[in-house]
Amino acid sequence: MMEYTLKTILVVIAAYIETTNYVNCDEKISGVNQNPDGSGSIKFTPPKLDDEEMNSIYMPDKLKCDGCTIIAYMLNKRFDKAHRSRKSLKYLPETEVLDIFENVCSDEFKSCGVKEVNGRVRLTGPGLETENVPGVMQGGGLWPRRLQNMCNFIVDQMDEYDVYQLYLDKSIPFKDSLCAGSSPLNYCSKNKKNQKTEL
């Protein structure tokens, strides 16, 4: 079991309270043992990883939806920024789209890792609801490289400009059009029989 400073624990609790509309003080919070007198303890444990999660250079299948969501969020953010800075253009030049992909796929993904959320190992990072869930995040190691590999795999499977066209179609959220539904990636769909694999 890991030990944490009081400051770290208070920051995590503050982040949890800030991201939830926690009103009912009688509500039970996972990982918190509360005594009737109001005192208690908090227990965070690192995620329990299986062999694939610890050793594979590729993103484990059960985490591909989370990985695709992080990449979609980062692409969306960069496309938004590029459009705000070039308001006179309806479409970004192809060279700028390629630069955005290069920047996202070469990102160090320092804010990404895994943590246990409700008994399941989940990726955590920008664009995911797990980012603000209190817990011990395991970052670094193979996780940044896996996200880079996944981003490059998306580029191999779908042309960069085709992905940009998905972004431009505002009838479906970009994450859904890239990671689910009729996407050739199909990482976040319940029906995954058409899902492309990295191997």
Side-chain angles (χ1 to χ4, degrees), residues 75-139:
L75 286 170
N76 192 72
K77 203 169 167 186
R78 300 272 174 107
F79 288 145
D80 284 350
K81 183 178 179 182
H83 275 277
R84 279 193 307 274
S85 68
R86 310 220 23 207
K87 291 181 181 183
S88 63
L89 297 177
K90 186 173 182 177
Y91 304 105
L92 296 175
E94 191 167 357
T95 55
E96 193 163 347
V97 171
L98 294 174
D99 285 346
I100 288 170
F101 267 93
E102 187 176 323
N103 289 331
V104 169
C105 290
S106 64
D107 191 276
E108 294 181 7
F109 295 99
K110 287 181 179 178
S111 64
C112 301
V114 289
K115 68 170 89 165
E116 201 164 306
V117 178
N118 296 327
R120 288 182 44 223
V121 173
R122 295 277 313 271
L123 273 178
T124 182
L128 289 174
E129 71 280 357
T130 57
E131 184 176 32
N132 295 318
V133 174
V136 177
M137 180 184 99
Q138 178 192 13

Side-chain angles (χ1 to χ4, degrees), residues 20-104:
T20 61
N21 292 324
Y22 188 72
V23 178
N24 182 358
C25 294
D26 297 328
E27 185 178 327
K28 186 80 171 150
I29 302 170
S30 176
V32 175
N33 298 321
Q34 190 171 1
N35 299 323
D37 67 357
S39 66
S41 62
I42 299 175
K43 177 181 156 189
F44 292 118
T45 58
K48 295 171 185 74
L49 305 178
D50 63 25
D51 191 49
E52 181 185 24
E53 294 163 342
M54 288 191 316
N55 300 313
S56 175
I57 61 168
Y58 297 103
M59 187 65 68
D61 285 343
K62 63 186 170 188
L63 298 174
K64 285 183 178 178
C65 179
D66 286 347
C68 189
T69 301
I70 289 171
I71 292 165
Y73 177 84
M74 293 175 77
L75 286 170
N76 192 72
K77 203 169 167 186
R78 300 272 174 107
F79 288 145
D80 284 350
K81 183 178 179 182
H83 275 277
R84 279 193 307 274
S85 68
R86 310 220 23 207
K87 291 181 181 183
S88 63
L89 297 177
K90 186 173 182 177
Y91 304 105
L92 296 175
E94 191 167 357
T95 55
E96 193 163 347
V97 171
L98 294 174
D99 285 346
I100 288 170
F101 267 93
E102 187 176 323
N103 289 331
V104 169

